[in-house]
Amino acid sequence: MSDVGSEDPEEDQNYLGEYSGDRNEVGERHGSGRAVLPGGDTYQGQYDSGRRCGQGTYRFKSGACFIGDYYNNIKQGQGTLYYPDGSKYEGSWVEDLRQGHGIYTYPNGDKYDGAWLRDVRHGQGTYWYNDTGSSYRGAWNNGKIDAVGEILHSNHHYKGSFLNNNPTGPGKYVFDIGCEQHGDYILTEQTGPPEDDEGDSSSALKWLPRDITGPTMGTSVSTKPSSDLEKQAASTEDGN
């Protein structure tokens, strides 16, 4: 997730910055107003008894901008946050965190549309890969692909179980021409060259085909889903 800087907690500052707008009978910011906060951020919108509450636009000194609902000085309800790196989240917020349904557009053009929980992808959602045109549709667990889902391509798709962003166990490739190939994904251990004193080993995904059903028995099988998921794993280490 992009760093947007900090929202100044106005009630905790001895100096509250500059303000022009409505006030209540005790002098608190109340109603519609505009504030320039001590850290250089600005807010224009609704206040209730001195706190941001209702619709407002908060512009961060970092270049980020939030347009949406506030309650008790935090993002709560519906809103859109534009990040300094060009990414954008539009959707539901709970206690200043992305939660509920939302759409996140990444700087490289990838997009996620689905459920969020405490700032990470969690629940049902679809992730589109901008550079390949492929997409993943299925369940997410704490920011990772970790359940039954599908990888969709232009002329075929893979359906099966996933674990830690990678396909695992039984699954099938379904091709638009009407055939299916069933098989299993397994992890195989690869050992480094003999001259490597450390003898490092790594694991690699391998597809083990079992049978083909449908009209075309000689159809070749692409392993594109695994390469897309390797890229996805690298981009989801922070749970976005």
Side-chain angles (χ1 to χ4, degrees), residues 50-72:
R51 299 188 174 213
R52 294 186 293 274
C53 191
Q55 279 282 322
T57 298
Y58 192 107
R59 300 185 185 278
F60 297 81
K61 187 178 180 180
S62 65
C65 177
F66 175 76
I67 304 173
D69 299 328
Y70 276 93
Y71 177 73
N72 200 26

Side-chain angles (χ1 to χ4, degrees), residues 17-202:
E18 300 175 5
Y19 174 77
S20 59
D22 302 331
R23 295 182 181 271
N24 60 16
E25 61 275 8
V26 295
E28 296 172 323
R29 301 173 183 184
H30 189 87
S32 181
R34 182 180 187 276
V36 179
L37 305 178
D41 299 347
T42 65
Y43 172 76
Q44 182 165 355
Q46 296 297 310
Y47 281 89
D48 187 348
S49 300
R51 299 188 174 213
R52 294 186 293 274
C53 191
Q55 279 282 322
T57 298
Y58 192 107
R59 300 185 185 278
F60 297 81
K61 187 178 180 180
S62 65
C65 177
F66 175 76
I67 304 173
D69 299 328
Y70 276 93
Y71 177 73
N72 200 26
N73 260 5
I74 62 175
K75 295 183 282 290
Q76 179 87 9
Q78 296 294 309
T80 300
L81 180 57
Y82 300 87
Y83 295 90
D85 63 1
S87 57
K88 176 180 69 172
Y89 172 81
E90 47 190 328
S92 177
W93 297 82
V94 176
E95 296 182 351
D96 238 15
L97 302 174
R98 300 185 295 262
Q99 186 159 313
H101 177 262
I103 301 171
Y104 197 111
T105 304
Y106 295 84
N108 65 356
D110 288 2
K111 181 181 290 188
Y112 172 77
D113 184 343
W116 296 78
L117 179 65
R118 300 193 63 80
D119 250 3
V120 298
R121 297 185 289 264
H122 188 88
Q124 292 292 316
T126 300
Y127 190 105
W128 286 273
Y129 301 91
N130 181 56
D131 60 348
T132 64
S134 301
S135 63
Y136 167 80
R137 181 176 61 197
W140 299 75
N141 183 23
N142 198 30
K144 294 185 177 182
I145 300 172
D146 206 18
V148 175
E150 293 180 276
I151 290 283
L152 295 90
H153 298 279
S154 59
N155 61 357
H156 70 282
H157 67 272
Y158 174 80
K159 185 174 184 178
S161 295
F162 294 80
L163 180 64
N164 197 28
N165 287 332
N166 288 310
T168 183
K172 65 179 180 179
Y173 286 91
V174 181
F175 295 86
D176 291 350
I177 58 175
C179 71
E180 298 181 359
Q181 183 173 58
H182 297 251
D184 297 89
Y185 267 109
I186 65 170
L187 277 176
T188 60
E189 189 172 288
Q190 295 179 333
T191 304
E195 60 271 16
D196 187 350
D197 293 336
E198 297 182 0
D200 290 339
S201 62
S202 60

